[in-house]
Each structure stands twice: as C-alpha cells, then as structure tokens.
C-alpha cells in the first residue's frame, strides 16, 4: 500500500474567479510577455529551454495556505515543491518543474517534454476544432493502450499536452 499525501489546491474557473490577475495564460493581461511564452512551451510549440520564470500577484491574503493554484482551463497549474516531490517519484526523465513566483512564494509548473502516444483514438471521445480538424478541442472520454504506459506514471498525451495524467496505482 502506498503513502497517502494530502494537499490543498486552489482550482478555479477563470471566468468565475474574482481574484485578478488569474493564472489563465490566455487572459488578455498576459498577452505578449512571459505568460504567452509559457503557454507556447506548455503546448510543445516552443522550446522549454527558452522558459523565463513567471511572476504574478493574486488577490489572496495567505498564498502559503495552498499547495497549488490552477484554472479548470486546460489543466494548467502551479504546485508547491512538496507536491512536485510526490509527482517526480512517478514521472520519467521527461517530467520537468518550471519555477514561478506567486505573491513572492516559489511554485512550479509541471511540464512533460515527451508526451506518450498512448491514447486509443478509436475508443476515446475526442472533439476537434471545426476550422482545424487536426487540433484537439477537448477529450470527453479517454481510453489508453495499456502496453504503452508503465504503472505508476505521470504523463500527458500529444492531443492535450497541458493535461497532467496519472495512472491509477
């Protein structure tokens, strides 16, 4: 039996969160700066070696009471080093943690450099952008080719690189 770890995460829907600036990299406030670069890196559109540390101020009194921040949009998130220590036990060499400062407190954005092509596209329910049927809009139901995944494992799939997935062990 494995250890149980309890962490307190703040997960919000960017449209409903009263705290601004939020952690949504698509928010107009973040266009044209490090957030846009991170957004491109997280999707594999830019080299991770060009990452520049993100910094933001949130309208939250005690930032240290949470082990992570994120939005429901695309599964983007920032985690304390305690969370990252647990995740890295189950990640492979392609799991990196990119530093960020939130209210002056150090957090990390998990980034997987090589997604696993393990999604069973015939059984999964995948929606594509109407104007570009090669781009995945959402995955409503996921099925995997089990032989392509070790267990336990932290990974992502090419169709949704920003969504951190874990095998169920």
């Amino acid at each position: 039996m494995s250890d149980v770890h309890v962490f307190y995460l703040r997960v919000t829907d960017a449209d409903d969160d009263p705290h601004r600036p939020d952690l949504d990299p698509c928010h107009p406030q973040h266009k044209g700066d490090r957030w846009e670069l991170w957004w491109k890196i997280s999707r594999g559109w830019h080299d991770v070696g060009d990452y520049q540390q993100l910094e933001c101020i949130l309208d939250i009194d005690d930032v240290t009471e949470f082990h992570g921040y994120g939005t429901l949009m695309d599964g983007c998130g920032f985690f304390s080093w305690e969370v990252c220590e647990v995740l890295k036990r189950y990640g492979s060499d392609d799991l990196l943690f990119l530093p960020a400062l939130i209210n002056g407190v150090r957090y990390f954005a998990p980034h997987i450099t090589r997604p696993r092509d393990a999604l069973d596209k015939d059984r999964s329910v995948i929606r594509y952008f109407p104007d570009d049927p090669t781009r995945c809009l959402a995955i409503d139901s996921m099925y995997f080719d089990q032989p392509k995944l070790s267990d336990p494992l932290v990974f992502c799939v090419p169709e949704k690189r920003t969504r951190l997935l874990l095998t169920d062990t």
Side-chain angles (χ1 to χ4, degrees), residues 26-76:
C26 295
H27 191 275
Q29 173 177 328
H30 302 312
K31 289 294 181 192
D33 61 12
R34 294 178 182 193
W35 287 85
E36 187 171 358
L37 177 61
W38 171 69
W39 187 79
K40 290 177 180 178
I41 289 170
S42 70
R43 282 152 179 77
W45 300 344
H46 211 285
D47 184 59
V48 70
D50 293 332
Y51 176 77
Q52 299 174 34
Q53 179 173 284
L54 298 174
E55 297 181 25
C56 71
I57 302 295
L58 297 179
D59 184 20
I60 297 173
D61 293 334
D62 187 9
V63 73
T64 59
E65 71 185 65
F66 298 103
H67 285 88
Y69 290 88
T71 66
L72 295 176
M73 186 209 88
D74 262 344
C76 299

Side-chain angles (χ1 to χ4, degrees), residues 3-4 25 28 30 37 44-45 48 53 78 89 91 106-107 109 117 122-123 130 155 162 165:
D3 295 334
V4 174
H30 302 312
L37 177 61
W45 300 344
V48 70
Q53 179 173 284
F78 298 89
R89 288 186 219 161
R106 172 117 16 235
Y107 284 87
D117 190 15
D122 294 330
R123 295 177 55 209
F155 68 103
T162 58
L165 303 168

Side-chain angles (χ1 to χ4, degrees), residues 9 14 18 25 44-45 53 69 72 83 92 100 106-107 115 117 127 133 136 146 150 154-155 166:
L9 306 177
W45 300 344
Q53 179 173 284
Y69 290 88
L72 295 176
V83 173
S92 57
R106 172 117 16 235
Y107 284 87
D117 190 15
R127 289 184 284 139
C136 177
Q146 292 300 325
S150 57
V154 176
F155 68 103
L166 297 92

Side-chain angles (χ1 to χ4, degrees), residues 3 5 82 84-92 95 97 152 154:
D3 295 334
H5 301 275
E82 293 85 1
C84 295
E85 284 287 325
V86 172
L87 289 175
K88 76 178 187 175
R89 288 186 219 161
Y90 306 108
S92 57
L95 176 60
F97 298 97
V154 176

